[in-house]
């Protein structure tokens, strides 16, 4: 197996005089199926096209994208496996210190808003060459969208980038179709018919059934219109039922074709059987390699898509709700390659995807008629038509456990505990506890207050409690001493100080001491981000309380870490504001003492600007907003998303409404729970 060209000399060594496509990426070049650029470039190679890679070009130098000369068919552009802004900044908008997708973990090798910057760089040299954009950044910014980092409503990325065509979603089918159309001599501006693409035009074809969204100018004037527009977009993410959508913007129209159809199992197998080198390019060895590969080097992708539909997650908008899976044979074949790796120690780190225990569509209807537009599969309760069955996943894990050289097979990419409980057979639950946990199981209840969970699209807290009870019961039955590590989120839309205190009380009762906190992170194209920006729940158009004041967010965050002496005064202020003085004192249920810790043991609360007012978001029709500067937050994590790519079907970073650093804390032992 051979890496694709990374420089002109590589191209010439292959005997090429010109590339068909030049692929500009914001990540280091890693030829592994967990990286979007690897899948797309290998698919094009399989189809007979010559692809050259330009990794992390110097965006200040136009010559950096000219190393191969002009491509025959066009440029492909992607910011990488993460939205560049999520990659660069924490939820508090502080610059991150490292980049796992860059050689040596060095920060600063790609620009902010990388897709747009790269496209504009190309246009400076090549005025008329086709530019096709894709990846998570382009996919989630395909229409007008709220941008947290600039605190503004931005145009479709097609408008700002000057690109000709946008491929959203996973892109395997659409990239082949677009490449073949260009190769046949079709002009890029005439490629308006491919599913899974978005294009710009000055005239809309009236012969195709179309839904017209409110124009960009109207969205900027009235946030309610933006919430309504997003609801239409969200309800048209299914490849079987979606209509074509058109968003007017000035004198042009941004047109989205329906999503591409899900890949069949055979197509999924073919995608993962392509001749990947399964490593980063050897030129990065001197810099210490690419850190992101460590998480996925010995992990297996078994599925993509997610019918969990959490409000803070953009997977519905990006991969869709219909589960696509690989065959056992395909996964076992990849496992055999992993076993042969010289660094393999006998541990397969993960077998999963966005949700590990989804191995088939939620119901048979989805395969022909798509997902229900107005009914979620799991929320608020599991649909009566949903098929909760783990037999196939159990069979797969059993086969992997039996492979020679495999000591342990872990499940780390997350499970849906409500789906697990919906399965009347507890075979998977039992085998999960017996064989597939590495000391602790990470689960995502996210919150404990039912009003907040309703905004999140998560099951009621009673469901999580039921899961916890059964988990520890099985641990006792099998003589295991395994922990539960719950992901919990502060400051999500709908969370008032009352609900924040309720979460702190739950943490007290279960004996959990989180060292880091997840603060809600408004990333493009999620329901929760729309709530954050508009103060409205787009599903119901109800008004939602949204904590945006930095001081209030700091208090909600501090409540989760109420045991930390440095948070004493923030916690005290929060309890007084919530009229929960009963939690201050020396009683067994108190969160903090009446007497503050000794001097030096705490951090004074952050100063409050006189112009800053605590409270909910302005209503949808109010144009005033608090300044985005200084919004407080802490690094936190939403699963292993630092290296789970959009292309692999794993959790794309920035797809979930939480920040991206692993939470560490003392997990609760069996018996220490509410």
């Amino acid at each position: 197996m051979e890496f694709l060209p990374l420089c002109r000399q590589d191209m010439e060594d292959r005997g090429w005089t010109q590339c068909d496509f030049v692929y500009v990426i914001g990540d280091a070049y890693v030829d592994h199926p967990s990286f979007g650029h690897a899948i797309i470039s290998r698919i094009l190679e399989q189809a007979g096209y010559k692809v050259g890679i330009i990794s992390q070009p110097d965006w200040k130098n136009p010559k950096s994208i000219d190393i191969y000369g002009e491509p025959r068919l066009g440029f492909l552009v992607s910011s990488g496996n993460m939205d560049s802004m999520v990659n660069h900044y924490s939820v508090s908008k502080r610059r991150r210190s490292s980049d796992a997708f860059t050689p040596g973990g060095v920060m600063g090798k790609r620009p902010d808003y990388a897709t747009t910057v790269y496209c504009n760089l190309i246009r400076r040299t090549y005025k008329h060459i086709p530019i096709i954009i894709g990846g998570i950044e382009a996919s989630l910014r395909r229409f007008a969208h709220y941008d947290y980092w600039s605190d503004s409503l931005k145009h479709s990325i097609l408008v700002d980038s000057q690109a000709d065509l946008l491929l959203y979603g996973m892109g395997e089918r659409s990239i082949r179709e677009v490449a073949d159309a260009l190769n046949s001599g079709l002009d890029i501006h005439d490629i308006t018919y491919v599913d899974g693409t978005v294009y710009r035009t000055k005239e809309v074809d009236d012969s195709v059934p179309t839904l017209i969204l409110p124009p960009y100018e109207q969205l900027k004037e009235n946030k309610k219109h933006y919430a309504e527009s997003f609801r239409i977009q969200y309800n048209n993410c299914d490849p079987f039922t979606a209509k074509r959508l058109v968003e007017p913007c000035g004198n042009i129209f941004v047109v989205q074709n329906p999503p591409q159809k899900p890949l069949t199992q055979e197509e999924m197998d073919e995608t993962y059987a392509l001749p990947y080198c399964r490593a980063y390019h050897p030129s990065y060895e001197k810099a210490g390699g690419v850190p992101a590969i460590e998480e996925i080097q010995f992990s297996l992708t078994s599925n993509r898509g997610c019918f969990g539909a959490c409000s803070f997650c953009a997977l519905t908008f990006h991969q869709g709700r219909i589960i696509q899976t690989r065959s056992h044979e395909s996964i076992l074949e990849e496992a055999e390659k992993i076993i042969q790796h010289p660094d393999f120690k006998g541990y397969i780190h993960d077998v999963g995807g966005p949700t590990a225990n989804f191995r088939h569509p939620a119901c048979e209807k989805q395969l022909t008629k798509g997902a229900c537009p107005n009914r979620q599969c799991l929320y608020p309760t599991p649909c009566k038509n949903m098929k909760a069955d783990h037999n196939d996943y159990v069979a797969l894990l059993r086969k992997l456990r039996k492979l020679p050289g495999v000591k342990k097979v872990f499940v780390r990419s997350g499970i849906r505990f409500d789906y697990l409980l919906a399965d009347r057979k507890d075979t998977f639950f039992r085998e999960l506890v017996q064989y597939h946990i590495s000391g602790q199981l990470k689960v995502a209840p996210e919150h404990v207050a039912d009003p907040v969970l309703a905004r999140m699209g998560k099951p009621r807290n009673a469901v999580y409690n039921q899961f916890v009870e059964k988990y520890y019961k099985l641990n006792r039955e099998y003589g295991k001493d395994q922990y539960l590590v719950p992901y919990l989120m502060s400051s999500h839309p709908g969370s008032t100080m009352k609900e924040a205190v309720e979460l702190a009380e739950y943490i007290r009762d279960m004996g959990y001491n989180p060292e880091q906190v997840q603060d809600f992170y408004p990333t493009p194209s999620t329901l929760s981000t729309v709530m954050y920006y508009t103060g409205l729940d787009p599903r119901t158009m109800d008004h939602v309380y949204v904590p945006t004041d930095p001081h209030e967010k700091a208090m909600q965050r501090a409540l989760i870490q109420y045991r930390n002496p440095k948070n004493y005064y923030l916690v005290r202020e929060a309890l007084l504001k919530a009229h929960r003085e009963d939690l201050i004192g020396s009683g067994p249920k108190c969160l903090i003492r009446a007497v503050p810790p000794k001097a030096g043991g705490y951090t004074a609360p952050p100063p409050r600007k006189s112009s800053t007012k605590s409270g909910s978001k302005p209503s949808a029709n109010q144009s005033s907003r608090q300044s985005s500067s200084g919004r407080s937050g802490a690094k936190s994590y939403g699963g292993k998303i630092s290296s789970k790519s959009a292309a692999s079907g794993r959790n794309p970073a920035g797809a979930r409404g939480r920040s991206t650093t692993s939470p560490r804390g003392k997990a609760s032992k069996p018996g220490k729970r509410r």
Side-chain angles (χ1 to χ4, degrees):
M1 288 177 287
E2 185 181 12
F3 285 91
L4 295 174
L6 193 59
C7 63
R8 189 176 188 87
Q9 186 62 52
D10 291 346
M11 180 184 75
E12 293 174 350
D13 288 346
R14 286 188 169 218
W16 301 354
T17 57
Q18 185 182 32
C19 290
D20 295 320
F21 291 99
V22 172
Y23 200 163
V24 180
I25 56 175
D27 289 343
Y29 175 30
V30 182
D31 193 30
H32 188 284
S34 285
F35 291 75
H37 59 258
I39 287 183
I40 296 300
S41 58
R42 288 297 182 184
I43 282 175
L44 287 170
E45 180 190 47
Q46 183 191 45
Y49 296 103
K50 301 172 183 177
V51 183
I53 306 290
I54 298 180
S55 171
Q56 300 184 321
D58 179 359
W59 69 92
K60 299 172 185 175
N61 181 6
K63 293 183 179 180
S64 65
I65 51 88
D66 197 30
I67 60 175
Y68 298 107
E70 181 174 334
R72 184 173 70 89
L73 297 176
F75 280 93
L76 310 175
V77 179
S78 170
S79 71
N81 269 19
M82 294 177 69
D83 184 287
S84 58
M85 301 305 287
V86 177
N87 178 277
H88 286 172
Y89 300 98
S90 70
V91 65
S92 59
K93 301 183 182 178
R94 293 191 178 94
R95 187 83 168 179
R96 299 190 193 277
S97 59
S98 62
D99 180 353
F101 296 93
T102 294
V106 176
M107 175 55 75
K109 292 296 185 180
R110 85 186 84 206
D112 289 354
Y113 306 106
T115 301
T116 297
V117 173
Y118 290 152
C119 289
N120 288 326
L121 185 69
I122 293 167
R123 276 285 175 253
R124 290 174 62 181
T125 302
Y126 300 103
K127 304 297 183 184
H128 305 293
I129 194 78
I131 299 178
I132 302 162
I133 59 177
I136 191 74
E137 183 166 285
S139 184
L140 299 185
R141 296 172 181 267
R142 55 190 187 258
F143 281 124
H145 56 280
Y146 172 66
D147 181 73
Y148 171 68
W149 303 274
S150 63
D151 193 26
S152 66
L153 193 72
K154 282 186 169 288
H155 300 104
S156 161
I157 194 171
L158 269 178
V159 176
D160 292 335
S161 69
Q162 304 181 68
D164 298 294
L165 197 63
L166 184 156
L167 273 56
Y168 69 95
M170 306 307 287
E172 291 98 340
R173 280 207 176 113
S174 52
I175 190 62
R176 284 194 193 98
E177 197 168 351
V178 169
D180 289 346
L182 289 171
N183 192 48
S184 71
L186 202 62
D187 187 273
I188 186 69
H189 300 106
D190 293 328
I191 305 175
T192 60
Y193 54 87
V194 178
D195 285 349
T197 63
V198 186
Y199 62 93
R200 293 175 295 149
T201 183
K202 291 188 176 181
E203 295 183 5
V204 178
D205 181 2
D206 296 331
S207 66
V208 181
T210 300
L211 294 177
I212 306 296
L213 301 173
Y216 171 75
E217 294 75 17
Q218 197 175 101
L219 302 180
K220 289 204 72 172
E221 292 175 1
N222 192 318
K223 293 177 182 177
K224 183 178 180 181
H225 289 157
Y226 177 63
E228 292 170 340
S229 177
F230 188 82
R231 179 175 60 189
I232 296 170
Q233 297 170 40
Y234 196 79
N235 289 336
N236 282 272
C237 290
D238 184 88
F240 293 95
T241 62
K243 303 282 194 306
R244 192 179 68 162
L245 303 179
V246 174
E247 182 180 80
C249 182
N251 62 347
I252 64 170
F253 301 91
V254 176
V255 182
Q256 174 184 294
N257 289 314
Q260 64 176 9
K261 294 292 190 294
L263 298 185
T264 64
Q265 189 166 89
E266 291 75 16
E267 289 171 324
M268 283 280 284
D269 289 352
E270 289 173 4
T271 296
Y272 285 86
L274 293 170
Y276 306 102
C277 294
R278 304 186 63 82
Y280 52 74
H281 194 274
S283 64
Y284 303 139
E285 205 65 59
K286 284 185 180 180
V290 181
I293 201 171
E294 295 173 8
E295 281 284 342
I296 48 82
Q297 185 78 66
F298 305 121
S299 295
L300 296 164
T301 296
S302 72
N303 64 63
R304 69 168 57 155
C306 183
F307 55 78
C310 299
S311 301
F312 48 80
C313 177
L315 279 167
T316 297
F317 210 67
H318 181 61
Q319 291 187 4
R321 290 167 56 189
I322 298 176
I323 303 299
Q324 301 152 73
T325 60
R326 296 169 63 189
S327 70
H328 290 194
E329 292 74 20
S330 171
I331 295 170
L332 290 168
E333 183 179 337
E334 185 177 359
E336 294 283 4
K337 295 177 183 177
I338 287 176
I339 292 169
Q340 300 305 315
H341 194 284
D343 295 331
F344 183 68
K345 306 299 183 185
Y347 300 96
I348 294 176
H349 295 166
D350 188 27
V351 184
T355 300
N357 57 328
F358 289 173
R359 274 286 298 173
H360 53 77
C363 66
E364 296 297 328
K365 167 183 167 292
Q366 288 187 352
L367 295 173
T368 54
K369 297 182 179 179
C372 299
N374 298 311
R375 174 69 166 92
Q376 299 294 341
C377 303
L378 285 165
Y379 173 81
T381 57
C383 175
K384 64 180 181 179
N385 296 319
M386 186 184 73
K387 182 182 178 183
D389 186 349
H390 292 82
N391 286 341
D392 182 67
Y393 193 39
V394 168
L396 172 62
L397 293 172
R398 286 174 178 173
K399 291 175 184 177
L400 289 167
R401 293 203 305 264
K402 290 180 180 179
L403 289 177
V406 172
K407 299 176 183 177
K408 196 86 171 179
V409 179
F410 297 122
V411 176
R412 289 177 172 167
S413 58
I415 61 169
R416 278 293 295 228
F417 56 82
D418 47 350
Y419 181 75
L420 180 63
L421 293 174
D423 188 348
R424 295 182 179 180
K425 301 182 295 295
D426 63 358
T427 306
F428 171 65
F429 206 161
R430 288 181 174 276
E431 296 200 10
L432 175 71
V433 171
Q434 282 181 283
Y435 304 115
H436 301 293
I437 297 174
S438 177
Q440 60 186 29
L441 178 67
K442 297 176 181 178
V443 288
E446 306 295 355
H447 214 281
V448 300
D450 287 344
V452 181
L453 292 169
R455 298 300 181 192
M456 291 178 164
K458 300 287 286 186
R460 293 175 296 107
N461 187 42
V463 179
Y464 177 66
N465 286 338
Q466 181 185 352
F467 166 78
V468 171
E469 292 293 334
K470 187 164 184 177
Y471 176 80
Y472 286 127
K473 178 182 177 183
L474 291 175
N475 269 271
R476 290 191 294 270
E477 184 176 330
Y478 293 115
K480 300 286 187 179
D481 186 24
Q482 297 173 145
Y483 302 94
L484 267 181
V485 178
Y487 290 121
L488 300 168
M489 187 186 297
S490 66
S491 302
H492 187 276
S495 177
T496 69
M497 202 60 71
K498 174 180 177 292
E499 285 79 26
V501 172
E502 186 177 340
L503 178 56
E505 290 185 279
Y506 190 92
I507 292 170
R508 172 200 65 201
D509 293 344
M510 71 179 181
Y512 180 53
N513 186 24
E515 291 183 8
Q516 290 189 338
V517 178
Q518 301 176 85
D519 201 1
F520 169 65
Y521 200 162
T523 55
S525 297
T526 72
L527 285 164
S528 298
T529 298
V530 177
M531 293 183 214
Y532 176 90
Y533 175 60
T534 66
L536 297 169
D537 186 332
R539 296 168 297 187
T540 62
M541 299 309 291
D542 293 338
H543 286 272
V544 182
Y545 180 90
V546 183
T548 57
D549 174 64
H551 191 74
E552 180 182 357
K553 287 167 66 71
M555 286 190 286
Q556 290 207 20
R557 193 169 57 254
L559 280 165
I560 296 179
Q561 297 177 304
Y562 69 88
R563 291 184 178 92
N564 188 336
K566 294 182 178 181
N567 290 333
Y568 178 85
Y569 283 100
L570 283 170
V571 173
R572 182 183 179 88
E573 183 181 354
L575 294 175
L576 292 174
K577 181 176 180 179
H579 306 293
R580 293 300 306 272
E581 293 85 350
D582 58 302
L583 297 177
I584 303 173
S586 56
K589 294 293 185 180
C590 290
L591 298 181
I592 57 172
R593 301 276 182 174
V595 178
K598 293 181 180 179
Y602 65 90
T603 299
R608 303 184 66 171
K609 296 181 180 180
S610 59
S611 60
T612 302
K613 296 181 181 180
S614 176
S616 64
K617 289 283 290 187
S619 67
N621 291 321
Q622 290 176 311
S623 60
S624 62
R625 280 187 54 82
Q626 295 167 3
S627 170
S628 65
S629 62
R631 280 213 179 107
S632 187
K635 288 184 179 180
S636 55
Y637 190 69
K640 301 187 298 179
I641 59 179
S642 62
S643 59
K644 307 288 193 193
S645 90
S648 71
R650 295 181 183 275
N651 201 17
R656 292 190 181 272
R658 45 161 84 96
S659 54
T660 52
T661 311
S662 177
R664 298 181 298 274
K666 296 179 181 178
S668 53
K669 286 189 176 182
K672 291 187 178 181
R673 61 191 185 281
R674 191 175 182 180

